[in-house]
Amino acid sequence: MEVKRDILWRVYLSYILMVIACIAIFGKAVYIQQVEGAKWRSMSDSLHQRIDEIEAERGTIYSEDGQMLSTSIPQFDIFIDFRVAGLREKNGLRFRENIDSLSFHLAQLFKDMSPVEYKRVLQQAYKAQDGYFPLKKKISFTQYDSLRNFPLFKLGRYKSGMIANERTIRLNPYQMLAFRTIGLARDSNKVGLEKTYDAVLKGRNGKQTVRSIAGGIGVPVDDTYLIEPETGKDIVSTIDVFIQDIAEAALMKMMVQNEAENGCAIVLETKTGKVKAIANLGRMANGTYWENLNYAITPSEPGSTFKLATLMALLEDKKVNLNQVIIGNGSDELIDLLIRCFCEPKQDNILICEPTVGMFKVYAQLNNAEVLNAPLKKESFLFDEQVILKTTNLRTKLIFICTPNN
């Protein structure tokens, strides 16, 4: 009897302790939910929220006649948060009332699935309570404008769960027209005007609070910004679209006709010096031509094309006059004429600065004149005055100093 009483006493004690523990746990749960709920929810949000940088809208590049050469257009990724209270309340009444009409409109807009397929996909995501269901990516502003007026979505974000993530893409409306001159606004290795005026075009980025969800994707907490993005400034180039089109068509015709590897055409307004057109074409692997490189400003030996510009600059700055200018049928004729005039065969010499055009040596040998060489500086390819002075002698009758060295 004593043993039985002892066992019962222990059972009752254990039962009472378990009841007390359950009451304590339940009480603590109620306390946390009702009293400390706001505190813990705030802490949870802080752990899942971060501040993201919002890229500013880039400025537009215009032609001189007001045409857009490069501009930014918005693109949208659309997601649905099926966990929002607006979709779950009253056992999902709002979702059920709009699912058929929404599916119909989505099928009409995107034409990639039937209304039945859209309804099935949306119902599956709703059942799974998907917090970031990807409905459609990379849609245009026109599509987005239609989408936000669809059944359910027109009720707003907090009743429909629709999330629109906006980003901008760079568009060249005229495609190949002055493509390399206008340039590319890539994250790295920008080229053309996009690179030169990047600091002006890019504006100032903003900051926004976002909530992290699966995959590290950030969803804006609301539509406000901590720092409002500042749109970049527009720039106006000297390019004229009409002249550019003519120049590019003419260059393309000559490139195809001559099966050339690359070429460029530049049109200058002589009164102001404005570049009205600059076309660059290079042959691609498949034999077609495209603006793949700005050949017009690619560093290269300009050759004889630079002689006229040099002469014009000298005349304009009054460094020489027309009485000091000799005009010949190409540089070869003038090189031969100068050596014949100034050098006595087998006695006199000329001095050149290599690397340079080979015709100096050819005509010197034809006229029995010795050739002295004062090489250009290896690092800069500039003339070395000291070497020139040391190399010359009393029989040196001509020193060829050219810019460029041709």
Side-chain angles (χ1 to χ4, degrees):
M1 196 67 177
E2 291 295 329
V3 174
K4 183 178 179 181
R5 188 182 296 115
D6 185 55
I7 293 173
L8 287 174
W9 179 81
R10 294 187 181 187
V11 171
Y12 292 149
L13 180 61
S14 300
Y15 177 75
I16 293 170
L17 290 174
M18 289 179 64
V19 170
I20 293 172
C22 290
I23 293 172
I25 292 171
F26 179 76
K28 186 64 175 177
V30 171
Y31 179 79
I32 291 174
Q33 184 177 17
Q34 300 299 323
V35 180
E36 296 184 336
K39 168 190 170 184
W40 293 111
R41 280 192 290 271
S42 175
M43 184 177 294
S44 174
D45 288 343
S46 68
L47 293 173
H48 293 85
Q49 289 182 1
R50 67 175 189 265
I51 296 175
D52 273 3
E53 190 169 70
I54 307 301
E55 188 175 357
E57 184 178 343
R58 196 170 178 84
T60 297
I61 300 176
Y62 290 96
S63 66
E64 192 172 43
D65 52 337
Q67 303 297 313
M68 284 192 300
L69 300 177
S70 181
T71 189
S72 296
I73 61 171
Q75 215 174 54
F76 298 86
D77 294 337
I78 307 300
F79 300 87
I80 302 177
D81 184 356
F82 285 106
R83 301 169 304 178
V84 297
L87 291 178
R88 313 308 300 189
E89 62 187 11
K90 297 182 181 179
N91 199 26
L93 178 62
R94 183 175 287 113
F95 177 76
R96 294 197 308 273
E97 287 178 341
N98 289 278
I99 182 65
D100 290 320
S101 54
L102 176 61
S103 299
F104 172 79
H105 282 83
L106 289 172
Q108 290 291 309
L109 178 64
F110 298 123
K111 303 185 187 308
D112 56 346
M113 289 192 293
S114 67
V116 174
E117 289 174 313
Y118 263 113
K119 182 177 180 180
R120 177 178 53 81
V121 169
L122 292 173
Q123 284 178 329
Q124 289 176 348
Y126 179 83
K127 184 178 180 180
Q129 297 190 37
D130 195 330
Y132 208 60
F133 172 70
L135 178 64
K136 204 69 180 175
K137 293 187 177 183
K138 297 181 179 179
I139 69 171
S140 66
F141 177 78
T142 303
Q143 291 175 314
Y144 168 68
D145 196 39
S146 299
L147 189 71
R148 63 183 178 178
N149 292 306
F150 281 2
L152 187 62
F153 290 160
K154 64 183 179 182
L155 301 176
R157 173 179 174 180
Y158 297 106
K159 290 184 178 180
S160 68
M162 189 186 85
I163 300 169
N165 283 353
E166 181 181 353
R167 53 197 175 90
T168 57
I169 60 170
R170 205 67 173 160
L171 178 69
N172 293 51
Y174 290 98
Q175 298 294 314
M176 188 170 70
L177 204 72
F179 184 68
R180 290 296 294 199
T181 303
I182 299 164
L184 299 168
R186 299 172 289 202
D187 290 336
S188 60
N189 195 28
K190 292 181 176 66
V191 297
L193 296 177
E194 294 279 11
K195 177 182 179 180
T196 304
Y197 295 98
D198 182 55
V200 177
L201 289 164
K202 69 181 181 181
R204 189 185 67 181
N205 291 345
K207 293 185 182 296
Q208 186 177 37
T209 303
V210 299
R211 185 178 75 251
S212 296
I213 62 170
I217 299 172
V219 182
V221 173
D222 50 41
D223 296 328
T224 62
Y225 296 97
L226 298 175
I227 299 177
E228 189 84 19
E230 185 179 311
T231 303
K233 292 180 173 60
D234 299 336
I235 64 170
V236 179
S237 71
T238 60
I239 297 293
D240 184 290
V241 171
F242 179 70
I243 298 174
Q244 177 73 34
D245 191 33
I246 294 174
E248 207 147 278
L251 178 61
M252 178 68 80
K253 181 180 178 181
M254 295 304 297
M255 295 287 287
V256 173
Q257 182 179 320
N258 294 281
E259 298 182 355
E261 285 297 319
N262 55 67
C264 66
I266 304 174
V267 180
L268 291 175
E269 187 176 70
T270 54
K271 184 178 180 180
T272 62
K274 291 180 178 179
V275 178
K276 307 302 289 184
I278 177 167
N280 299 274
L281 293 174
R283 182 161 29 193
M284 310 302 288
N286 61 3
T288 60
Y289 291 99
W290 181 255
E291 284 236 355
N292 60 338
L293 191 65
N294 200 333
Y295 297 102
I297 61 170
T298 299
S300 62
E301 171 58 62
S304 297
T305 58
F306 202 73
K307 293 175 182 175
L308 179 60
T310 304
L311 176 59
M312 290 173 63
L314 289 169
L315 291 171
E316 186 175 300
D317 292 344
K318 296 182 172 47
K319 301 295 183 181
V320 298
N321 58 59
L322 290 175
N323 293 326
Q324 297 170 295
V325 178
I326 302 175
I327 299 175
N329 184 22
S331 58
D332 290 1
E333 181 185 59
L334 295 177
I335 293 170
D336 183 40
L337 180 62
L338 288 169
I339 296 175
R340 288 175 184 271
C341 289
F342 290 99
C343 294
E344 191 71 29
K346 297 183 180 180
Q347 293 185 29
D348 298 327
N349 62 63
I350 68 168
L351 184 139
I352 61 175
C353 301
E354 292 185 321
T356 187
V357 64
M359 298 310 293
F360 293 131
K361 279 187 177 180
V362 172
Y363 284 106
Q365 291 169 356
L366 288 174
N367 289 285
N368 284 321
E370 183 186 2
V371 179
L372 306 179
N373 179 31
L376 298 177
K377 295 178 180 179
K378 291 183 179 180
E379 299 81 11
S380 59
F381 286 99
L382 296 175
F383 294 104
D384 193 325
E385 297 87 349
Q386 297 301 318
V387 174
I388 291 174
L389 292 173
K390 289 180 181 178
T391 307
T392 56
N393 55 48
L394 295 176
R395 304 304 302 174
T396 302
K397 297 301 176 67
L398 287 171
I399 299 176
F400 288 96
I401 298 177
C402 314
T403 302
N405 196 25
N406 178 4

